[in-house]
Amino acid sequence: MSARAKSGWDVRRVLFAVLGLQLGMAALLAGSDVLGALPQLLRPSSAPGFDSPVAPGDQTRRYAPRDTPLPERAPGAPERPYRNTGDMPSRLEFVREGAALRLTGTIAPGDDARLAERLETEAGLERVVLSSPGGSVRDALEIGRAIRAAELATEVEADDVCFSACPYVLAAGVTRSAGEGAQVGVHQHYFGKNTVLPAFLAVEDIQRGQGDVMEYLDGMGVDIRLMRPALATGPDDIYVLLPEELRDYRLVTGGAED
C-alpha cells in the first residue's frame, strides 16, 4: 500500500471514529431522556381531574391539552361546537363577530404572523375573545404585543377556558375580563427545549424564556407574581386561578365578571 493510500485510509478511519462517537453520544443522551421521562409517561400526574371542582388551596388539576373536558355551559347559554380541548382547531381559528375577533384553538407556530396580517385587514375591532388550551409561548407573546398595539380589549367568556400560553394573550388587553365560570390556568413551559441539547443549554433556553415572559407581563401591567404558580406547576398539570387571584395579579381589570 502506498503512503498516499495509507494516509487516506487513516483519515477515513478517524472520520468514521468521530461519526461513531457522535452517534453514541446522541444515543446516550436520548436514552437518558427516555429513562428520565418513564415515570411521567407511566403516571404523568397524580392531580385530580377537572371533574373535581376547584377550591381555594385545591387548584391544581391534571391537564392534557388534547384531552381536557370543557366546563359545562350554564343553563340557557348558547351551545358551542367544542366539548373537549381536543376537539378544538390545531391552530388558532379567527372568526369575526361584530366588533369582536374570536380566537379559538391551539396557539401554533406562525399564528402570530397570521394574526398580525388579519388585524391589518380588520376595521372597527374592539376586543379579542379567547378560547384556547395553550400552545406556543413565543407566538402567544407576539400575538399579545399585536393586540396591545391595536389597543384591543381581551375576554374569556363565561364557562370557557384559557390555559397554558393563552393567559399571556389575555394579559395583552387594554382591559381584560373573564366571565363567570371561566377557567384561566398556568403552568411550566418548555420554550422549545430540545432534549438532544446538553443540559446546560436546555436550562439556559428555559431561563431566557422565563425572563422574556416576566418582562412581557410587566410591560402589560400584570403582576409578575403570576409566575409563582406557573413555575410551581408541572407541564402535565394546570393551576386554575381563582377570580380573586385574577384580580390580584391584574390578569383581569376590574371585577372578574366585567
Side-chain angles (χ1 to χ4, degrees):
M1 182 181 294
S2 67
R4 170 179 281 181
K6 184 175 181 180
S7 175
W9 176 247
D10 287 343
V11 170
R12 290 178 61 190
R13 290 177 63 181
V14 171
L15 291 175
F16 279 128
V18 171
L19 177 60
L21 179 61
Q22 290 177 332
L23 291 174
M25 290 178 64
L28 182 62
L29 287 169
S32 64
D33 285 330
V34 170
L35 289 174
L38 275 178
Q40 285 190 322
L41 291 173
L42 295 174
R43 189 181 181 186
S45 171
S46 59
F50 278 88
D51 53 344
S52 177
V54 172
D58 179 24
Q59 297 161 244
T60 301
R61 292 293 176 267
R62 185 170 63 254
Y63 180 61
R66 297 178 182 175
D67 186 24
T68 294
L70 298 176
E72 292 291 332
R73 278 298 205 196
E79 285 297 319
R80 60 185 167 204
Y82 310 112
R83 297 185 180 275
N84 188 291
T85 54
D87 301 331
M88 290 181 168
S90 59
R91 67 184 315 152
L92 284 179
E93 177 182 80
F94 309 140
V95 177
R96 177 75 182 258
E97 297 177 353
L101 184 64
R102 185 177 296 274
L103 273 58
T104 304
T106 299
I107 303 169
D111 279 349
D112 59 335
R114 292 177 57 232
L115 179 70
E117 292 176 2
R118 183 64 180 264
L119 291 179
E120 289 179 357
T121 65
E122 297 285 353
L125 280 179
E126 296 177 2
R127 70 186 189 279
V128 172
V129 180
L130 302 168
S131 179
S132 173
S136 167
V137 177
R138 300 190 191 284
D139 283 76
L141 300 185
E142 290 305 316
I143 287 171
R145 292 184 177 107
I147 289 172
R148 177 57 65 90
E151 299 183 341
L152 301 175
T154 52
E155 175 185 1
V156 182
E157 291 182 331
D159 303 314
D160 220 326
V161 299
C162 181
F163 290 148
S164 188
C166 177
Y168 304 140
V169 181
L170 175 62
V174 290
T175 62
R176 308 178 282 275
S177 62
E180 184 176 0
Q183 293 182 341
V184 180
V186 295
H187 64 177
Q188 297 170 5
H189 298 290
Y190 287 114
F191 296 99
K193 182 184 71 172
N194 183 346
T195 56
V196 178
L197 288 173
F200 75 91
L201 290 179
V203 170
E204 180 182 344
D205 187 50
I206 293 170
Q207 290 179 334
R208 184 183 299 112
Q210 298 290 6
D212 290 344
V213 170
M214 293 173 69
E215 182 179 12
Y216 168 88
L217 291 174
D218 186 55
M220 295 298 174
V222 175
D223 194 326
I224 62 172
R225 289 183 301 136
L226 175 64
M227 294 302 293
R228 182 175 180 180
L231 293 172
T233 306
D236 294 318
D237 295 328
I238 202 82
Y239 180 91
V240 182
L241 296 155
L242 299 173
E244 54 265 34
E245 290 177 310
L246 292 172
R247 293 190 294 270
D248 288 346
Y249 294 137
R250 301 193 297 276
L251 197 54
V252 301
T253 53
E257 299 176 18
D258 288 353

